[in-house]
Amino acid sequence: MSRSIELHSEQTLLQKILHIHWGLVLLIAVTAGIGLMALYSAAGGHMDPWASRQGARFLVGLGGMLVIALIDVRWWFRLAYPIYIMGFLMLLAVEIMGHIGMGAQRWINLGFIQLQPSELMKIAVVMALARYFHSVGPDDIRRITFLVPAAFLILAPVGLVLLQPDLGTSLMIVMAGVAVVFVAGAPLWLFLGGIAAGIVAAPVGWLFMHDYQKQRVLTFLHPESDPLGAGYHIMQSKIAIGSGGIEGKGFLNGSQSHLNFLPEKQTDFIFTLWVEEWGLLGGVFLLLLMGAIFLYGLAIALKCRHVFGRLLAFGLMVNFSLYVFINIAMVMGLIPVVGAPLPMISYGGTSMLAVLAGFGLMMSCSLHRDAKLVRM
């Protein structure tokens, strides 16, 4: 067999459209609809400035997701490394000409959107790792020499993201990348050794952290020590979540958010706004939606017959799950505040488009789960 990738399609376009996971598309649409309701409420019952823009981005992203899903997964296999290189160059561009906002240099101004390359890099790293491990043999994966390139694929962009600085995104790229390496079959002792090394190196890492990052950790440990300063965000978030009770205060009736006690209610703390208005029941319903999406992604990964699709779908689902876990744990005070958005709920163009592109790739893996991908 030729070492090039066979790129013919066994399915017609109509067959592909019929076989798209429309149940997953419905779950995504319902989740995004909840996000639009929350943004509408955050603006005091107005579509502007957030809900209208977010709705337009969702429609564009939804169309892009379906197009990505219909494209043969072998094209995504071939494009995995070029997309990674493009993402890496965009991160370099951020260092040279990036837009500065809220004390960080993370965006490129394209005129119609503030593009955040680190969000796209979360997908690009998973794609590159999936292609790499598809191309090496199962026995090779257990050799340290074959894991060095994988470590480089993870750590090179992480170094640039740390310079922005963006510790939260850096950690998510590392965790999603490590998850792919683990599922690919790397030895367990390597991960246990890495965890032990991380614990030992933690005091050294503390010395290199920015002052505001150290403050976030100290605030996480003792939020009551400065309730009107560093601990204000998380204290108000806990008050808002607790005041929602079982059934919530009702749509558009969240006093903590509408009286502006709750900061960043349209982005990082939007789950708090949702729970204040819809209570414990609303929060559980949203978590069940996210859980159903996770199970869809896991099923896609397990049914895929080629290593590339299996690792790609799994890595993207881990990425999505990390978004959800870190954001909700953060606003509940279970982990330090790291600035992670809630996928498809928080206001943000690049985050929304990146998540939908990831779902499109997962669906492409599902539609072409029997495709023959040659190692190269």
Side-chain angles (χ1 to χ4, degrees):
M1 182 179 289
S2 167
R3 290 181 67 80
S4 62
I5 305 172
E6 191 179 3
L7 288 172
H8 70 271
S9 174
E10 295 83 359
Q11 303 178 74
T12 65
L13 179 60
L14 179 59
Q15 287 174 322
K16 289 183 179 182
I17 293 174
L18 292 176
H19 288 131
I20 282 179
H21 282 286
W22 290 107
L24 177 57
V25 176
L26 177 62
L27 289 172
I28 292 170
V30 172
T31 306
I34 288 176
L36 294 180
M37 288 176 61
L39 291 174
Y40 178 82
S41 177
H46 299 285
M47 291 297 291
D48 292 324
W50 300 308
S52 57
R53 294 182 184 178
Q54 189 82 340
R57 290 165 178 167
F58 174 70
L59 291 177
V60 172
L62 186 66
M65 178 186 76
L66 296 176
V67 170
I68 291 172
L70 294 172
I71 295 175
D72 197 307
V73 72
R74 286 165 285 199
W75 279 108
W76 297 122
F77 178 82
R78 174 171 280 182
L79 292 172
Y81 288 155
I83 289 175
Y84 177 90
I85 294 171
M86 183 179 70
F88 190 81
L89 293 176
M90 291 173 70
L91 284 178
L92 283 176
V94 169
E95 291 302 312
I96 299 171
M97 50 178 284
H99 172 73
I100 299 176
M102 294 182 289
Q105 188 169 337
R106 302 174 183 170
W107 299 270
I108 297 175
N109 189 354
L110 298 181
F112 62 96
I113 188 173
Q114 295 280 354
L115 186 67
Q116 189 174 351
S118 58
E119 291 291 333
L120 303 177
M121 206 64 208
K122 293 175 185 174
I123 294 178
V125 168
V126 174
M127 290 182 73
L129 288 172
R131 171 165 176 170
Y132 175 73
F133 285 115
H134 179 93
S135 302
V136 301
D139 294 333
D140 295 332
I141 293 173
R142 304 187 70 82
R143 299 178 185 173
I144 294 296
T145 51
F146 282 88
L147 294 177
V148 172
F152 177 81
L153 288 173
I154 298 171
L155 296 179
V158 165
L160 291 176
V161 176
L162 281 173
L163 290 176
Q164 293 181 355
D166 189 348
L167 181 61
T169 301
S170 303
L171 290 175
M172 280 196 276
I173 292 175
V174 170
M175 286 190 282
V178 169
V180 173
V181 175
F182 180 73
V183 172
L188 181 61
W189 65 262
L190 188 66
F191 297 94
L192 297 178
I195 293 173
I199 294 173
V200 173
V204 179
W206 176 265
L207 299 176
F208 289 94
M209 291 175 70
H210 292 270
D211 290 340
Y212 79 92
Q213 292 170 334
K214 294 179 180 177
Q215 188 59 54
R216 285 179 175 179
V217 175
L218 295 174
T219 301
F220 163 68
L221 296 174
H222 304 287
E224 296 81 6
S225 62
D226 189 10
L228 297 179
Y232 180 80
H233 287 52
I234 197 61
M235 291 285 289
Q236 293 301 321
S237 180
K238 289 180 178 178
I239 291 171
I241 290 174
S243 64
I246 301 296
E247 299 178 352
K249 298 176 180 175
F251 188 45
L252 300 177
N253 291 322
S255 56
Q256 290 296 113
S257 51
H258 290 287
L259 295 177
N260 290 325
F261 287 106
L262 183 65
E264 305 295 338
K265 55 183 178 290
Q266 79 280 10
T267 53
D268 293 350
F269 287 86
I270 197 165
F271 182 76
T272 303
L273 178 148
W274 176 257
V275 174
E276 184 186 19
E277 296 190 345
W278 295 90
L280 176 64
L281 295 178
V284 170
F285 176 71
L286 183 54
L287 288 177
L288 289 176
L289 273 178
M290 299 286 191
I293 291 173
F294 172 79
L295 291 178
Y296 251 111
L298 189 61
I300 288 174
L302 293 175
K303 291 180 179 178
C304 211
R305 294 190 178 182
H306 43 85
V307 175
F308 175 73
R310 200 157 50 239
L311 294 180
L312 178 57
F314 179 80
L316 292 172
M317 191 44 56
V318 168
N319 213 335
F320 171 78
S321 304
L322 286 172
Y323 263 118
V324 176
F325 171 77
I326 291 177
N327 177 271
I328 294 179
M330 177 185 76
V331 300
M332 295 177 72
L334 301 177
I335 62 172
V337 175
V338 293
L342 188 61
M344 295 182 294
I345 306 291
S346 295
Y347 180 75
T350 311
S351 173
M352 166 76 81
L353 296 176
V355 169
L356 291 174
F359 283 128
L361 288 170
M362 277 193 285
M363 291 182 195
S364 176
C365 293
S366 177
L367 284 174
H368 310 94
R369 58 181 176 273
D370 298 325
K372 295 179 181 177
L373 276 69
V374 180
R375 291 175 182 165
M376 56 184 301

